[in-house]
Amino acid sequence: LGTRPMKKICSTSSIALILSPWASSQAFVIRPFSPLSLALSTSVTLNRHNPVLRTSSKSIIPTRFPHVEHREAATTTSLQGGISSALALSKESANIFLRQLQRRKSLNILLLLLTAAVATSLLVSKNIINHTSLLWPGTQTDPNSQAPLPPGSFGCPFLGIDFYSGTKDYGPFAALGKLAQKNKSDVWKTYSFGIPLVSVSGVEHVKTLLKHEFQPEDDRGIGTFLLGAKNFGDLFGQEGILYEPDAEKHALLRKLVGAAMTPAAIAEAIPSIQDAANVQIEELLKTQGEVTEMEKVFSDFTLDVAWKQVLGLDLEESEIPRFRRAVQEWTVGVMNPMFILPFRIPGLMTITKTGRARQYLVSKVEEKLAYLDEHGPDSSTLSKLYFARDEGDGKTKLTRTQVIHNALLLIFAGTETSASTLTCASLFLALHPEVFQKIREEQKDIVIRYGEDLSAECLESCVYLDSVIKETLRIKPLESGELRKVDGSVEVDGKQIPKGWFALFNIKQTHVNDPATYQEDGSHMDIREGFQPERWLDETTKPQAWMPFGAGRRRCIGERLGMTEMKVFLSMLARKVDYDLVNKIWPDDPFLWKTNTVLARPLDGVKVRARAL
């Protein structure tokens, strides 16, 4: 498939003909698929002397023809039985193949292929089989819906498009982002590794989609979908709030977990978060004149918040690096495609670094729960989770497993999202020193009014800082929300999303298409031209479509904690530190990004030289 452009190989026709016709001794792999869904894989080797035909599975097609010698020289791997019927025959490859057949008087093989083509085409035309659903399994439409499918492309048959991978010029999920740029519609379809899905963007369209959440199948409901549940579920935790499918249970979970995320609970955590920020800033200032990666500074900060405040641990100095490493190794698993395989990986928790890291984190949570059992509640987020009770009966609480899984979820959200956004913000502030100076001026006023210690009240007064963080999240948000499985066909923007398909709300494209900020040349999403925090201070320019923390009843429950972490650190940074980029970025230089992260992070980690103010 790599020897010719995929556009030619992956076009629609009635015979599967995959050729590598560069030398007369090349193997030609011919895969005509029986309309009866028999798994047939046939290999033909055409060399200077005679062609060779071999079938690798039972078929109604004979394996011997006149002047054709059967031999073991050519082999091929059978494709999935009964899932395919028609594939591409590019004109150029077909002509080469015909010339080879004519020279070797093997027209019987051609006749065989033409017969299969005609038979398949007839069946397709009579709607006995559907070539689309055969080439991209699971893409059947809803016959009861009059609405058309959304526009878009399924990509290569059987595989579709890999939108998980990233590129340095775009960042993570590059294919998803570039498909969004290509498809101007807010609702479009694609196919990825066996999953037919529809991307939905735009606040109103997302609301239309999510209003079906928790509705029964007969009422055209949608539900959450844990990709790779057999492995990813073990790593991430299937009893967390993110993946609870039942409406009543989810509402109760959200109420109990939300007890740890109330404004009062977050306000109580601010001194601990400020202490963690001051520790990292002191370490940063010790490096004056030396090169420092801001990404590491922010990662260490959010990880320290995780063990100090979220879990309330009392780690020895020697164990802090181990905790930080464990969280990083565990979160890396989120982007590892191995963990979304549909079968269980033996020894996942003991063989892989990700599994062992998760076991370590769970052991630390269990140690803390044992401490709370003995000593009672404290100011940690975990304590609030553990002792939360339903206001209705005063008794219902989270199970121990639910406490652990939701604590892990808060660690992931608080470290990955906050660290990535802070890293991007540090780059943006270096590119826009006038913005950094406005934050400093605001902080001087905050100190005069409230003193050095931060509080919920003074963070509410950081209006310009708030606009900087929101603008950073507008330009570099999570690419999409989590997948939803369509249990009963739904319609969005006049397009059908059939039952059995998957839908994702596209956060990045929602921001891109926001009518309040949109520019035809895309400059509104450019980190040089588009980064304008002032737009948030005027109702006439304020973005209308902003959803970095998701939407609906599953909107990120740790949003308040994440925003508080970012405000606290940037407040202290603006008060105490100035810095210059080590890798100078000139106006025409392209920005390069890491490819295997959940959110965008600059490739160099934002290398700086810091100095005290």
Side-chain angles (χ1 to χ4, degrees):
L1 286 173
T3 55
R4 283 292 192 212
M6 291 298 290
K7 290 181 180 178
K8 294 184 177 180
I9 296 299
C10 294
S11 58
T12 55
S13 183
S14 6
I15 302 180
L17 188 57
I18 304 172
L19 305 174
S20 296
W22 266 255
S24 58
S25 60
Q26 289 281 349
F28 291 71
V29 182
I30 304 175
R31 292 171 179 163
F33 295 100
S34 163
L36 302 178
S37 297
L38 295 175
L40 171 66
S41 292
T42 304
S43 297
V44 175
T45 298
L46 296 178
N47 54 40
R48 298 183 184 278
H49 304 292
N50 62 314
V52 176
L53 174 84
R54 175 179 175 271
T55 58
S56 59
S57 61
K58 292 183 179 180
S59 166
I60 58 174
I61 301 176
T63 57
R64 291 186 179 274
F65 294 85
H67 311 295
V68 178
E69 176 186 353
H70 181 72
R71 61 173 70 167
E72 297 297 325
T75 60
T76 186
T77 303
S78 296
L79 298 179
Q80 277 184 285
I83 64 170
S84 34
S85 171
L87 203 57
L89 175 60
S90 74
K91 186 177 293 184
E92 181 182 1
S93 297
N95 289 336
I96 296 172
F97 183 54
L98 285 172
R99 289 197 298 270
Q100 293 280 9
L101 290 174
Q102 289 170 351
R103 284 199 298 268
R104 290 157 181 80
K105 299 180 181 180
S106 300
L107 293 179
N108 285 334
I109 298 176
L110 178 60
L111 181 61
L112 168 67
L113 297 176
L114 291 175
T115 302
V118 171
T120 303
S121 298
L122 285 174
L123 290 173
V124 169
S125 67
K126 297 296 183 181
N127 291 323
I128 298 174
I129 58 175
N130 183 289
H131 72 281
T132 301
S133 61
L134 287 169
L135 298 179
W136 296 277
T139 56
Q140 294 86 348
T141 60
D142 183 354
N144 298 318
S145 175
Q146 299 300 314
L149 283 175
S153 170
F154 288 142
C156 183
F158 310 111
L159 297 178
I161 296 167
D162 174 19
F163 62 72
Y164 299 97
S165 299
T167 59
K168 290 181 180 179
D169 66 322
Y170 184 90
F173 302 99
L176 181 63
K178 291 177 181 179
L179 278 174
Q181 294 171 2
K182 179 180 178 182
N183 294 285
K184 300 300 183 181
S185 171
D186 280 341
V187 183
W188 48 270
K189 69 178 185 296
T190 189
Y191 191 85
S192 182
F193 298 114
I195 297 178
L197 59 88
V198 172
S199 169
V200 178
S201 59
V203 172
E204 293 305 316
H205 295 149
V206 170
K207 286 181 179 178
T208 299
L209 174 68
L210 295 183
K211 75 179 183 181
H212 296 282
E213 192 144 42
F214 298 116
Q215 291 185 10
E217 178 179 333
D218 294 341
D219 291 334
R220 297 178 175 269
I222 64 172
T224 56
F225 175 71
L226 181 55
L227 190 63
K230 293 184 182 297
N231 301 298
F232 190 73
D234 289 345
L235 290 172
F236 212 60
Q238 297 193 48
E239 295 192 35
I241 190 174
L242 191 60
Y243 295 109
E244 175 52 58
D246 183 82
E248 291 185 5
K249 291 180 180 178
H250 177 268
L252 178 60
L253 269 178
R254 192 166 184 89
K255 186 186 298 183
L256 294 174
V257 175
M261 295 288 112
T262 62
I266 299 302
E268 187 180 353
I270 289 175
S272 175
I273 296 172
Q274 185 175 2
D275 288 344
N278 283 331
V279 168
Q280 291 304 316
I281 287 174
E282 288 172 8
E283 291 297 318
L284 177 62
L285 291 177
K286 290 178 182 178
T287 67
Q288 292 191 48
E290 299 179 3
V291 176
T292 302
E293 277 193 20
M294 294 300 285
E295 180 183 14
K296 184 179 185 308
V297 173
F298 296 128
S299 293
D300 286 350
F301 162 65
T302 56
L303 291 169
D304 286 351
V305 172
W307 69 263
K308 286 181 178 179
Q309 174 55 43
V310 176
L311 299 186
L313 301 177
D314 184 19
L315 296 180
E316 297 289 338
E317 193 70 26
S318 59
E319 193 175 5
I320 294 175
R322 183 184 178 188
F323 180 88
R324 291 173 178 170
R325 186 170 60 252
V327 174
Q328 291 169 338
E329 290 174 350
W330 171 60
T331 54
V332 163
V334 175
M335 297 298 293
N336 189 336
M338 179 178 71
F339 296 131
I340 64 173
L341 293 173
F343 53 85
R344 187 173 296 280
I345 301 173
L348 174 65
M349 291 300 168
T350 56
I351 295 176
T352 65
K353 280 186 178 181
T354 300
R356 292 195 299 270
R358 201 257 188 189
Q359 283 187 315
Y360 167 79
L361 294 175
V362 170
S363 72
K364 303 311 291 184
V365 176
E366 289 177 335
E367 286 179 17
K368 179 63 179 184
L369 294 181
Y371 174 89
L372 294 174
D373 283 335
E374 182 177 351
H375 299 281
D378 60 19
S379 61
S380 68
T381 304
L382 182 62
S383 174
K384 292 177 173 57
L385 282 176
Y386 194 45
F387 292 105
R389 297 293 184 271
D390 181 21
E391 294 177 355
D393 59 16
K395 297 179 181 179
T396 303
K397 63 178 183 178
L398 297 172
T399 67
R400 206 174 187 88
T401 300
Q402 287 173 334
V403 170
I404 293 172
H405 288 185
N406 283 289
L408 292 178
L409 179 62
L410 291 176
I411 290 173
F412 175 81
T415 55
E416 178 60 34
T417 303
S418 298
S420 295
T421 304
L422 285 169
T423 303
C424 287
S426 69
L427 173 63
F428 299 173
L429 293 176
L431 295 173
H432 300 271
E434 74 283 359
V435 174
F436 203 9
Q437 183 58 35
K438 288 181 180 180
I439 297 176
R440 290 195 187 98
E441 293 170 359
E442 183 178 66
Q443 287 303 309
K444 288 178 182 177
D445 181 61
I446 293 292
V447 171
I448 292 172
R449 293 166 58 192
Y450 299 100
E452 293 288 344
D453 293 336
L454 294 173
S455 65
E457 184 180 4
C458 74
L459 290 181
E460 283 292 322
S461 300
C462 298
V463 177
Y464 189 75
L465 175 59
D466 184 71
S467 71
V468 169
I469 295 172
K470 287 181 176 177
E471 183 70 349
T472 303
L473 286 167
R474 184 187 70 82
I475 294 176
K476 288 298 178 183
L478 187 69
E479 290 290 328
S480 71
E482 66 272 10
L483 284 175
R484 300 290 204 276
K485 185 175 182 181
V486 181
D487 298 320
S489 299
V490 300
E491 292 185 12
V492 179
D493 194 28
K495 309 295 191 301
Q496 68 161 289
I497 308 178
K499 177 181 179 179
W501 284 46
F502 296 84
L504 60 84
F505 56 90
N506 197 316
I507 295 173
K508 180 70 170 288
Q509 192 176 11
T510 295
H511 291 187
V512 171
N513 294 343
D514 184 352
T517 60
Y518 183 78
Q519 297 293 322
E520 187 66 32
D521 61 0
S523 59
H524 62 300
M525 299 300 287
D526 182 80
I527 67 176
R528 288 191 184 94
E529 299 180 39
F531 183 71
Q532 300 174 16
E534 287 77 11
R535 72 171 82 241
W536 291 89
L537 306 178
D538 188 336
E539 289 298 323
T540 62
T541 60
K542 188 176 181 179
Q544 300 172 5
W546 187 77
M547 47 186 290
F549 295 101
R553 283 181 279 181
R554 294 189 185 276
R555 184 182 175 107
C556 178
I557 201 167
E559 174 182 354
R560 190 176 286 110
L561 175 61
M563 287 295 290
T564 300
E565 287 180 355
M566 291 185 283
K567 284 185 178 181
V568 167
F569 197 99
L570 290 179
S571 293
M572 304 312 298
L573 186 72
R575 295 179 186 185
K576 298 182 178 182
V577 181
D578 196 7
Y579 58 88
D580 298 307
L581 293 176
V582 172
N583 298 323
K584 298 296 182 184
I585 303 176
W586 303 104
D588 295 331
D589 288 347
F591 289 98
L592 299 180
W593 306 90
K594 294 188 175 181
T595 61
N596 194 35
T597 54
V598 179
L599 281 83
R601 294 193 182 198
L603 184 62
D604 72 341
V606 189
K607 290 184 171 65
V608 303
R609 287 189 174 89
R611 58 186 177 276
L613 287 175

